[in-house]
Amino acid sequence: MAQQPPTITDVAREAGVSKGLVSFALNDRPGVSAETRARILEVARELGWTPSLRARSLSTGRSFACGLVLGRSPDVIAADPFFHSFIAGLEDEFSMSGQVLVLAVATPGRQESETYRGLSVDKRVDGVILTDLRVHDPRLELVERLGLAAVTLGMPDAETPFSSVSVDDGAGIHAAVRHLAGLGHRRIAHIAGPDGMLHARTRRQAFETAAAEFGLVAASVETDFSAAEGAAATGALLDGDAPPTAIVYSNDHMAIAGLGVARRRGLSVPGDLSITGYDDTEIGRYVNPALTSVATDAREWGRVAARTLLGAVEGHDAVNVRLNEPTLTVRESTGPAPTDTRGDRRDR
């Protein structure tokens, strides 16, 4: 027969105190001397006592779970390393605080709304993290109406009662364009994400602003952030009458797909085409040539978002947390603009 886990009664008996005193000590409540609290905690560690999630939920009315509803295609989520690192960061924090992460993938729209309603009505989560903010995002009003605590990744385009954790997406794209302009490129392109997503729109607008600032001929192509659409967009650009000599991608796996398209066409990267990515994922450092990319710390995003959400669940005032500005990590996939056989810049 499996041994039963130790209970508060066992801790109280071993420490020679009442169950009530043990409860106060384990929940860090006042009324227990420092010496007694230390003795109780030491006994609990020795016995291997861990808090009962069911008991905590019953006594506090909380679920001790937080939700992450991803409104993207499962294929895109599976392929995008950003989400893997971000979720790892969430777990770094939630595992230490005894929280459970409830993850759901839903189609944007009705199914997504029903998912949030189900999480709230069933009291499965105390709060949620809202990713991929959209223009006039209806989820903000829905989550507020449901009474859930929440934190947004990025700043919404409307006032909300929620905390946010964000970075300056445009700064990284501007750095990539500045780098390419410094290498002599004059005809460049941006393979962007869906324009309905605020961070994708911010990156596209930053690209267009930077291209104008440096006097470049620029084009943007909208995709769903997937490698497949990134590859198709790359092919379309290279088939044009005046193909770009450099492409700025809105994530790394689209950039790696684009690199493959260029290589299969016999193009040299960066000899014929320079490529930059976004997120600086681990795999980009090992492809050949290694990928120049905008570096963001997705795992740290997860950690900070989790801490911020837990604060919101505890009733703390809303805060807007700004993470470090993204920086461009230059590697082998970018180089000087190509020249023709007469030694002139090909993109002039």
Side-chain angles (χ1 to χ4, degrees):
M1 181 180 295
Q3 185 176 1
Q4 293 296 315
T7 65
I8 285 182
T9 300
D10 297 323
V11 175
R13 182 172 56 252
E14 189 69 22
V17 297
S18 68
K19 286 174 55 179
L21 204 59
V22 170
S23 178
F24 273 49
L26 294 176
N27 289 287
D28 200 25
R29 294 173 61 184
V32 186
S33 69
E35 181 181 351
T36 302
R37 187 187 307 275
R39 186 170 81 253
I40 291 171
L41 293 177
E42 179 60 27
V43 169
R45 279 192 293 270
E46 290 176 353
L47 293 178
W49 177 88
T50 57
S52 164
L53 184 59
R54 181 181 179 185
R56 292 173 70 195
S57 297
L58 289 173
S59 64
T60 63
R62 287 174 48 186
S63 66
F64 292 93
C66 295
L68 176 63
V69 180
L70 298 177
R72 290 204 202 181
S73 159
D75 292 337
V76 173
I77 295 168
D80 192 341
F82 174 87
F83 286 109
H84 309 164
S85 295
F86 177 73
I87 290 170
L90 294 178
E91 286 291 357
D92 286 342
E93 289 295 323
F94 288 155
S95 61
M96 293 179 61
S97 59
Q99 304 289 316
V100 174
L101 175 63
V102 177
L103 177 63
V105 177
T107 303
R110 180 182 176 87
Q111 183 188 21
E112 192 176 40
S113 298
E114 290 305 317
T115 301
Y116 283 107
R117 290 190 181 94
L119 292 175
S120 173
V121 171
D122 296 339
K123 299 187 182 302
R124 294 178 59 193
V125 299
D126 299 312
V128 293
I129 296 170
L130 298 173
T131 68
D132 291 333
L133 290 180
R134 299 156 202 159
V135 178
H136 310 307
D137 200 321
R139 295 175 298 170
L140 299 170
E141 181 183 354
L142 171 64
V143 170
E144 182 180 2
R145 191 167 65 249
L146 292 173
L148 290 170
V151 60
T152 65
L153 289 194
M155 289 289 293
D157 59 359
E159 289 190 12
T160 78
F162 305 131
S163 294
S164 68
V165 180
S166 61
V167 299
D168 185 353
D169 282 292
I173 294 292
H174 188 279
V177 175
R178 181 174 63 243
H179 169 64
L180 294 169
L183 292 171
H185 293 274
R186 292 295 174 265
R187 196 167 60 250
I188 67 175
H190 177 48
I191 295 184
D195 209 49
M197 290 186 183
L198 290 180
H199 69 291
R201 176 175 290 194
T202 297
R203 294 177 192 180
R204 177 186 57 77
Q205 291 173 339
F207 170 81
E208 293 170 354
T209 299
E213 176 185 340
F214 295 109
L216 310 182
V217 177
S220 296
V221 181
E222 183 178 353
T223 73
D224 66 355
F225 273 131
S226 71
E229 290 203 5
T234 303
L237 287 167
L238 296 178
D239 286 337
D241 293 335
T245 62
I247 301 178
V248 176
Y249 292 82
S250 202
N251 63 31
D252 273 9
H253 69 289
M254 287 200 300
I256 293 170
L259 191 156
V261 170
R263 295 288 293 270
R264 283 193 295 274
R265 288 168 175 246
L267 297 178
S268 167
V269 177
D272 298 312
L273 178 69
S274 285
I275 287 175
T276 70
Y278 201 106
D279 288 330
D280 194 24
T281 53
E282 184 178 16
I283 189 63
R285 305 166 201 173
Y286 296 103
V287 296
N288 184 24
L291 187 64
T292 293
S293 184
V294 176
T296 59
D297 191 340
R299 192 159 186 166
E300 180 63 11
W301 263 50
R303 294 189 189 105
V304 175
R307 288 197 295 269
T308 305
L309 180 57
L310 292 177
V313 169
E314 294 290 343
H316 298 175
D317 291 339
V319 294
N320 297 316
V321 182
R322 194 77 160 180
L323 301 179
N324 291 333
E325 190 171 283
T327 58
L328 184 70
T329 301
V330 178
R331 298 193 181 91
E332 301 162 4
S333 67
T334 52
T339 56
D340 62 20
T341 56
R342 296 166 301 186
D344 296 325
R345 292 289 183 188
R346 197 187 74 188
D347 56 356
R348 287 181 180 172

